[in-house]
Amino acid sequence: MTLVSGWGRFPVVDSDVLRPRSFDAVGEAVAAASGSVARGNGRAYGDAGIGARRTIAMTGFDRVRSFDPATGYIRLEAGMLLSDLIDTFGPRGFLPFVVPGTRFVSVGGAIAADVHGKNHHCEGGFGRYVGSILLRTGQGETIEASRAENADAFFATIGGMGLTGVILEATIRLRPVETGWIRERVISAVDLDAAMRALDAGDSATYSVAWIDCAAAGGNLGRSLIYLGEHAGADEVAGGAERFPVGKDPGLAMPIDLPSMTLNRYSIRAFNELYYRMGARRAGGSHVVSLFPYFFPLDSIGGWNRIYGKRGFLQHQCVIPEQSARDVLGEILARVSKRGDASFLAVLKKLGYGDGILSFPLPGYTLALDFPLRGDILNFLDEIDRLVVAAGGRLYLAKDARQSRATFEAGYPALQRFNAIRKSLDPAGNIRSKLSQRLFDEV
Ligand SMILES: Cc1cc2nc3c(=O)[nH]c(=O)nc-3n(C[C@H](O)[C@H](O)[C@H](O)COP(=O)(O)OP(=O)(O)OC[C@H]3O[C@@H](n4cnc5c(N)ncnc54)[C@H](O)[C@@H]3O)c2cc1C
């Protein structure tokens, strides 16, 4: 048995971790013990990538099967990391259509969470660019699923958090790009209203995201920096620069767990103030920046999750439907700012429709906040959940480690349909994770 956790380092659970070397061995691992789930690169924050009894590590399956540059379609094994895909195909002029805030996720994990990027409001999530998947079900079948074939299994697997089976391979469509550079425009917004207005005005931008200073209060509540982005053309890349910049390995790495008191209202306020002022200075014009800091700002610090100390941290990511978003987000931010221990990293984005049955996105605004795991934080987040549910919103399973069943069920009205498909693919219930035990499985 091995101690396993997600990126938030909570919960930490004993699990039997297997690293199969062949697809047959994956099948045997699923069949041999009830209670297993696939794991990609462990970037989900909570308990999604941990098997109820057995965890099947998939990152060893990282080969490209075929690639058609005329269509951009690539067939690959599901354990391949987006970082490897970008490093290999970026210089040839192709990138994934959708990337999350870290490139160190596997293709299987990106499909299972139907991850969203900064372009969800106009281009949808990762699942939209999946042509088909090869799935090993809990019943022991290996099936190809697409919009035309085994469509129920396909749409349940996109955003299905690994609970429909193990994705062995996938065919996804890549985006042709001229360069690996992004034309970025920074806008500073003095409060939440201005931030939401700027995101609305940026609807036509391919990429948009707001970083919120959640330590700000009063008239500055919700003050933000908004980053809009477009792919830069070859003529925009400065003379002498490579058309495709190199994605560096994390230069800095957190060598130790910081004592949890390092993060307090004073250090957070000071950091946020500095970040806001530095960003505000760049506001106005547009700049061409490498795709790596634009899409993956945190990847430059290896193991940054250790900043929160040994006990770990929680990310709370909700989405609130458009019509109630202003009021509810204002209320959440006011409560968070009053507590004073909210994260360095509050992110606000606009989302559109999700493609999978259990996909997280719905048209509205998503807010992601990090909190050290200490004090009364669990009770505080339960209160925030009540605001989210009352507004018709929901929480993102890939970030969750603690929401209640009632919150989950209220937020995902298509759950019954998902459960029926899951049952038909796995009548004996072989595929189970710590997350499914907490939120899905009959008790
Ligand atoms: C710094 C950071 C920033 C992030 N930013 C974003 C963001 O902007 N947008 C966003 O949507 N997400 C974001 N995430 C979350 C992350 O993209 C998802 O949790 C993603 O699922 C992680 O992929 P993984 O390969 O690490 O999978 P894991 O964390 O190992 O597993 C995640 C889920 O995928 C399932 N899974 C993994 N591989 C397979 C497979 N082969 N077959 C079936 N199921 C599988 C697991 O069972 C589990 O349910 C971020 C995470 C971090 C740490």
Side-chain angles (χ1 to χ4, degrees), residues 7 38 40-44 48 100-101 106 109 112 115-116 161-162 165 167 349 396:
W7 186 247
N41 208 32
R43 259 37 180 197
S106 68
V115 300
H116 53 270
M161 302 309 294
I167 305 165
K349 286 192 258 209
Y396 189 12

Side-chain angles (χ1 to χ4, degrees), residues 170-201:
T171 303
I172 62 173
R173 184 151 66 94
L174 300 180
R175 175 203 299 275
V177 290
E178 280 186 29
T179 75
W181 298 84
I182 300 291
R183 188 182 338 112
E184 170 191 80
R185 193 151 70 86
V186 186
I187 299 166
S188 77
V190 291
D191 59 17
L192 180 61
D193 288 315
M196 292 177 77
R197 271 199 309 274
L199 283 175
D200 289 343

Side-chain angles (χ1 to χ4, degrees), residues 23-43:
F23 288 167
D24 284 346
V26 171
E28 283 157 25
V30 172
S34 141
S36 46
V37 85
R39 181 177 177 90
N41 208 32
R43 259 37 180 197

Side-chain angles (χ1 to χ4, degrees), residues 4-6 13-20 25-44 46-59 61 78 106 108-109 111-113 135-138 156-157 159-168 397 418 422 426 429-438 440-441:
V4 189
S5 64
V13 179
D14 242 338
S15 185
D16 179 16
V17 179
L18 294 192
R19 297 188 181 280
V26 171
E28 283 157 25
V30 172
S34 141
S36 46
V37 85
R39 181 177 177 90
N41 208 32
R43 259 37 180 197
D47 49 6
I50 309 174
R53 289 174 57 192
R54 172 173 281 190
T55 301
I56 305 176
M58 292 297 290
T59 44
F61 297 101
S106 68
I111 296 171
L135 185 72
R136 170 76 194 205
T137 70
T157 300
M161 302 309 294
L163 299 178
T164 57
V166 181
I167 305 165
L168 302 172
L397 290 172
F418 175 84
R422 182 179 168 212
D426 181 18
N430 283 330
I431 306 278
R432 280 184 295 118
S433 63
K434 287 290 173 191
L435 176 124
S436 80
Q437 286 186 310
R438 183 164 58 88
F440 291 73
D441 302 343

Side-chain angles (χ1 to χ4, degrees), residues 4 13 42 92-93 156 164 198 207 210 236 256 298 307 345 402 410 436:
V4 189
V13 179
R92 298 189 201 179
T164 57
Y207 300 105
E236 294 175 79
I256 49 160
L298 287 170
I307 281 176
L345 311 156
R402 37 70 44 195
S436 80

